Amino acid sequence: MNNVATLESAHDPAVSESTGILRLQGLITGLQGFIWAAYKMMRFLLLFSRQGKLRLQKWFTPLTDREKKKVIRDMMMLVLARPPRSCNFLQWRDLKIVYKRYASLYFCAGLEDKDNELLALEVLHRYVELLDKYFGNVCELDIIFNFEKAYFILDEFLMGGEILETSKLAVGVSMEEADTLQETMEEYMSKPAY
Amino acid sequence: MPAPIRLRELIRTIRTARTQAEEREMIQKECAAIRSSFREEDNTYRCRNVAKLLYMHMLGYPAHFGQLECLKLIASQKFTDKRIGYLGAMLLLDERQDVHLLMTNCIKNDLNHSTQYVQGLALCTLGCMGSSEMCRDLAGEVEKLLKTSNSYLRKKAALCAVHVIRKVPELMEMFLPATKNLLSEKNHGVLHTSVVLLTEMCERSPDMLAHFRKLVPQLVRILKNLIMSGYSPEHDVSGISDPFLQVRILRLLRILGKGDDDSSEAMNDILAQVATNTETSKNVGNAILYETVLTIMDIKSESGLRVLAINILGRFLLNNDKNIRYVALTSLLKTVQTDHNAVQRHRSTIVDCLKDLDVSIKRRAMELSFALVNGNNIRGMMKELLYFLDSCDPEFKADCASGVFLAAEKYAPSKRWHIDTIMRVLTTAGSYVRDDSVPNLIQLITNSVEMHAYTVQRLYKALLDDISQQPLVQVASWCIGEYGDLLVSGQCEEEEPIQVTEDEVLDVLEGLLVSNLSTPVTRGYALTAIMKLSTRFTSVNRIKKVVSIYGSSIDVELQQRAVEYNALFKKYDHMRPALLERMPIMEKTASNGPTEIVQTNGEAEPSVVEAKHPPPVTQPTNQANDLLDLLGGNDVVPVIQTTVPTKPASAGGELLDLLGDLSLSGIPPMTAYNKNGLKIDFTFERANPNPNIAVITIHASNSTEADMTDFVFQAAVPKTFQLQLLSPSSNVVPTLNQGTVTQVIRVLNPQKQQLRMRIKLTYTHKGSAVQDLAEVNNFPPQSWQ
């Protein structure tokens, strides 16, 4: 794939004076129809299997369905093609892509150019730890059959692309307490034979 | 009506499908069932149905008919319903659909709900996908929740506020009062999200930034506590306490310290502490170090700290972990412009990374290597880069080849070296060079007059080996056409001349014409070359035969050329020698010329590289004009002159000759500047063979008792001159005349005007920055006459 070019994202601050307060407004850069909002930690988080099946998609910027599908396709293509012991970072358009493989699942995040990739690896790892704690020795099947819970856990950990809670314990407690509010516990907690 | 199938039952069923078609069938069946269930306004199972829809949506099937159902779920009183409803809204809706606005009221109600987890759901949804209108409507509620004492809600409100500000920046001031006590929180979640909020505000508004600078001491204290505190199991990651919070604080400190001396000073200590004490055995420690380095480089840190930072990056380069090496290369690439000398110190490590097995690292290393090439290290670097070019993957070859050409053009120490380098690239990566390199190379070769014999010989030998690489073949045929006479007469000085007969040369060129490997463009080059040789060789009859054969070629381009050349033989034979003469030196186009090397600074009129156009040539008869176009061939525009080309007035050609030999010329040295203990002497040399270029070496010495550090010498000359400043030997002028800083200036003075120069000196002496401007008018007449 030799069109994985790096593009400089052009930020053109428009400064307007109003009641004596200067305001900087980040303009939105358009890239081939994609609308990326400036200044976000994470643009998206995807989980997919080696066979290219999507298991979770979290988008932190508004994109059309078509654009989302394109990103997913590209990510799968790029990440699944990487040789086994490569470094976990690659460049795609103007984003840094950080990915890590845990058993049969790839965790893939798209970051802004100025973000800390090494920390992003820790973020991915933390999410895996949270899933592991909740499900008890989590495996891909857990995430397939309980995808909504994976989302709930993610929403207690990240919001808008930023970390919400840095304590594993606190996230666990929130999930436990929220789960107790579920009215139809039996269905929610049922673990059918896979 | 039987109850709809359960979610996990459906998942299990769909997974048993053996083909895509089978899966689609199951999905369609279930979708139909769900649709009818929605139509019946079934409250009991709506949640289950929407959950199933979300699963199918993840598989890639359309689920838009569930959007309104999500809204109904959100409006429900049951927590289970709300949870799935909000999830569905985040997955299926976005601000493009008008439907999402209907959520606003529900979210507003839920933000005031008695259960914090419901409030949390509402904040989360708003904070993830709230549109500008929604944000405007609900900002007040978010602001209220930001002030609550409930830390669960407070942290969610903080990030929701961040989203609101991103969507509607004007609302930022509204959140200012609520930020007052955010940093006094003990709860790490609130602390982290508060730092994110403060960062967002500072990035967006210089006023906010100024306002929040006073938080620097508090932030430093929090960071210090994190580092010094004992083991806290709740926040520990491999022995480090809450690395996420540490990194976020470092980033905020970076923004607050940038451009501000006081703040930068206040954080110097803690940065040094983090840089030296952080455990580097695991990725998490390195993540913190990385952020620290970025912060140090951005703020006004003292030089010792900066050196520490670059050294950390240098250590990163040697780390076993690929990720860390990659990150180091990326950071060095960003700093190479500003801290060039410091990065140069790590050059050998960076060059070693070219041999890394990892593709991402190789690419970064290549980019960084090209950024580090300068006049001093060009030979060594080029050896490494050419080796890299030989052995790298095809995806790199084009970029690497272009980079080599560019670097060679800028810094080639001699013509011969330049030509050899080009030959090397063409022979090893010839099929990957960009199309525009061929005309550029031809231009370069033409302008290197004394290397013609050597060049054509080397190219001829390369052709004998391999005719598959088209750019090489094209350049070679062009040269043989131009300089075939030199080839045959064995005039080469640079290396052992080979014995070649005219027939052998024509054999090779004809071989190109018939070979399957040659593209049509290459064939055109070959035919034109053969034609040109008719004025340089004696075996004209053979050439006439070839030309007439191709008069009936199927290739239209070749046919046209052959026919016109034939006409040249038959009807215009008297003009042939003039038309097929040697090409004169060509104009270099502005886009890739040495204009980038010219460095002038200061307030004086900067010298501008003017593209001088050659004088107009009177045209011979009209018919000859038509034929003139034939010899264009490439993209280069030649100027047909009937006289042997002398020194051209073109700027580009002159500066290329700069890279020729130097010789002492007996011009007396002079003192250009002598003030406050800083003395700058100029010594002169003339660059042979171009007498229009004066090479001045400045020698800066310091007679005071303190070193002059960060010494930068800048010079500007009037418009009619051109200036090139090479890198200085160092930027510290040692005390008490213990050493000098030298720097080379080349001045091009084609109009032989009196040399004048304005110089600007900046340095740091005894802790304070010194700046001075001076005019230098006392140049000895021999330096510019």
Side-chain angles (χ1 to χ4, degrees), chain B residues 36-239:
Chain B
S36 52
S37 187
F38 284 162
R39 267 197 298 272
E40 286 163 23
E41 295 287 344
D42 186 327
N43 288 342
T44 330
Y45 295 112
R46 183 177 286 123
C47 175
R48 185 185 287 183
N49 285 329
V50 169
K52 287 187 285 185
L53 202 56
L54 292 180
Y55 178 73
M56 295 189 286
H57 175 253
M58 184 139 65
L59 292 178
Y61 296 92
H64 45 270
F65 58 91
Q67 286 169 358
L68 272 173
E69 301 302 313
C70 292
L71 295 179
K72 291 179 196 163
L73 282 175
I74 291 173
S76 156
Q77 291 310 309
K78 300 207 288 201
F79 184 69
T80 319
D81 284 357
K82 283 188 190 287
R83 236 182 170 183
I84 295 288
Y86 276 116
L87 178 61
M90 284 194 273
L91 287 176
L92 300 181
L93 291 172
D94 64 54
E95 51 187 53
R96 282 162 224 275
Q97 286 106 5
D98 297 326
V99 173
H100 86 282
L101 282 171
L102 298 172
M103 271 199 299
T104 314
N105 223 23
C106 285
I107 294 184
K108 186 166 190 176
N109 291 335
D110 283 342
L111 283 174
N112 292 307
H113 203 274
S114 49
T115 313
Q116 72 177 20
Y117 293 105
V118 174
Q119 290 173 292
L121 286 174
L123 281 168
C124 180
T125 308
L126 181 61
C128 274
M129 41 103 41
S131 64
S132 319
E133 296 93 339
M134 277 170 78
C135 287
R136 253 185 251 271
D137 286 339
L138 299 169
E141 304 294 328
V142 175
E143 197 258 342
K144 229 173 25 189
L145 288 171
L146 190 53
K147 297 194 282 215
T148 174
S149 54
N150 179 330
S151 41
Y152 177 80
L153 290 175
R154 216 168 174 203
K155 71 188 185 199
K156 292 206 171 193
L159 285 189
C160 196
V162 170
H163 178 84
V164 168
I165 291 173
R166 283 172 182 166
K167 280 294 192 191
V168 192
E170 299 91 68
L171 292 174
M172 179 161 47
E173 288 130 48
M174 175 177 183
F175 294 103
L176 187 54
T179 61
K180 213 183 283 252
N181 295 319
L182 280 178
L183 288 185
S184 358
E185 264 282 349
K186 289 275 179 284
N187 180 295
H188 280 223
V190 179
L191 216 44
H192 185 277
T193 55
S194 305
V195 172
V196 173
L197 177 58
L198 291 170
T199 309
E200 187 69 29
M201 289 169 123
C202 290
E203 275 178 337
R204 286 188 177 263
S205 155
D207 279 348
M208 290 286 185
L209 179 60
H211 172 79
F212 285 126
R213 276 224 174 89
K214 61 178 193 260
L215 293 175
V216 169
Q218 205 172 355
L219 288 165
V220 167
R221 234 180 4 254
I222 297 172
L223 190 53
K224 198 170 191 142
N225 284 338
L226 281 173
I227 300 170
M228 308 293 274
S229 70
Y231 174 73
S232 149
E234 202 181 333
H235 300 111
D236 179 86
V237 178
S238 303

Side-chain angles (χ1 to χ4, degrees), chain B residues 512-556:
Chain B
L512 292 177
L513 280 173
V514 301
S515 166
N516 287 339
L517 297 166
S518 301
T519 61
V521 171
T522 308
R523 291 206 179 90
Y525 272 87
L527 189 59
T528 306
I530 292 176
M531 185 59 190
K532 284 190 204 168
L533 290 174
S534 71
T535 55
R536 292 157 175 76
F537 282 2
T538 53
S539 43
V540 181
N541 286 325
R542 179 172 172 182
I543 295 177
K544 271 196 201 166
K545 232 190 290 183
V546 173
V547 165
S548 63
I549 291 173
Y550 278 88
S552 42
S553 161
I554 301 177
D555 183 331
V556 174

Side-chain angles (χ1 to χ4, degrees), chain B residues 232-266:
Chain B
S232 149
E234 202 181 333
H235 300 111
D236 179 86
V237 178
S238 303
I240 296 183
S241 190
D242 207 339
F244 304 109
L245 182 56
Q246 286 193 35
V247 165
R248 246 1 204 155
I249 292 179
L250 285 165
R251 199 180 296 183
L252 181 54
L253 285 176
R254 175 152 89 240
I255 294 166
L256 293 174
K258 190 167 187 169
D260 186 80
D261 288 325
D262 291 328
S263 304
S264 302
E265 201 182 318

Side-chain angles (χ1 to χ4, degrees), chain B residues 5-21:
Chain B
I5 178 178
R6 290 168 190 248
L7 168 65
R8 298 177 223 293
E9 195 62 43
L10 176 69
I11 296 177
R12 190 147 53 96
T13 312
I14 292 178
R15 281 172 63 79
T16 60
R18 273 161 301 168
T19 64
Q20 187 74 9

Side-chain angles (χ1 to χ4, degrees), chain B residues 56 121 289 306 389 457 480 621 634 691 700 702 735:
Chain B
M56 295 189 286
L121 286 174
L289 270 184
R306 286 186 91 85
L389 182 63
Q457 181 164 298
I480 295 173
T621 66
N634 334 321
N702 167 12
T735 166

Side-chain angles (χ1 to χ4, degrees), chain A residues 15-31:
Chain A
V15 180
S16 60
E17 289 222 354
S18 163
T19 64
I21 297 178
L22 278 170
R23 285 187 262 133
L24 269 174
Q25 289 184 311
L27 285 181
I28 303 191
T29 58
L31 277 169

